[in-house]
């Protein structure tokens, strides 16, 4: 039998709501309402493409993917390369709070394009 330490505590409803609340404070594309969806080991953030840079029709696009790595005790954050349609690892972070701060600032427009 697997021990509790082997179980991944993500996703969970508390952190999903925490992400939803936090990204309301982002600097870019404040006039859309992003959605946070649970995935197997974390969360997927999607939003309408209000800039029309990625989807000229304004459809829903991928913004970020967050994966919790219980064996490492950290988060992996990905941004989407929409030209090739693949997720690119953005970095490894020790806390969800670090990721949320980065998503809200997004100085290089990797997420909110």
């Amino acid at each position: 039998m697997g021990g509790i330490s082997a179980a991944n505590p993500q996703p969970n409803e508390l952190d999903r709501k925490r992400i939803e609340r936090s990204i309301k404070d982002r600097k870019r594309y404040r006039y859309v309402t992003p959605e946070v969806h649970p995935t197997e080991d974390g969360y997927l953030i999607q939003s309408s493409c209000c800039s029309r840079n990625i989807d000229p029709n304004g459809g829903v696009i991928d913004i970020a993917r967050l994966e919790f790595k219980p064996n490492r005790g950290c988060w992996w954050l990905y941004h989407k390369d929409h030209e090739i349609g693949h997720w690119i690892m953005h970095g490894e972070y020790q806390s969800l709070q670090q990721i949320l701060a980065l998503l809200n600032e997004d100085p290089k427009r990797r997420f909110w394009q």
Side-chain angles (χ1 to χ4, degrees):
M1 253 192 240
I4 292 175
S5 62
N8 192 340
Q10 298 296 337
N12 64 66
E13 191 62 15
L14 182 67
D15 282 334
R16 189 185 73 75
K17 289 289 190 185
R18 187 172 155 203
I19 295 166
E20 278 183 349
R21 278 191 310 274
S22 178
I23 60 177
K24 288 180 182 177
D25 294 332
R26 68 192 177 280
K27 295 203 184 255
R28 300 187 191 286
Y29 303 117
R30 295 187 47 87
Y31 33 88
V32 295
T33 304
E35 295 180 359
V36 180
H37 302 283
T39 63
E40 182 177 332
D41 52 4
Y43 307 92
L44 171 66
I45 301 172
Q46 296 181 313
S47 182
S48 299
C49 182
C50 55
S51 71
R52 314 277 178 167
N53 291 337
I54 306 302
D55 183 343
N57 297 320
V60 174
I61 63 166
D62 295 328
I63 302 296
R65 195 174 90 207
L66 294 71
E67 291 179 358
F68 184 71
K69 301 297 182 182
N71 59 330
R72 297 175 62 91
C74 66
W75 290 90
W76 287 2
L77 174 64
Y78 299 84
H79 69 272
K80 187 76 169 261
D81 183 324
H82 294 281
E83 285 184 27
I84 61 172
H86 292 284
W87 289 104
I88 308 294
M89 186 173 181
H90 189 79
E92 181 175 295
Y93 299 87
Q94 295 306 307
S95 73
L96 183 57
Q97 191 58 38
Q98 289 175 306
I99 289 174
L100 296 176
L102 176 63
L103 288 174
N104 283 342
E105 291 296 319
D106 193 19
K108 295 184 179 178
R109 296 185 65 179
R110 293 275 192 248
F111 304 96
W112 304 101
Q113 302 175 30

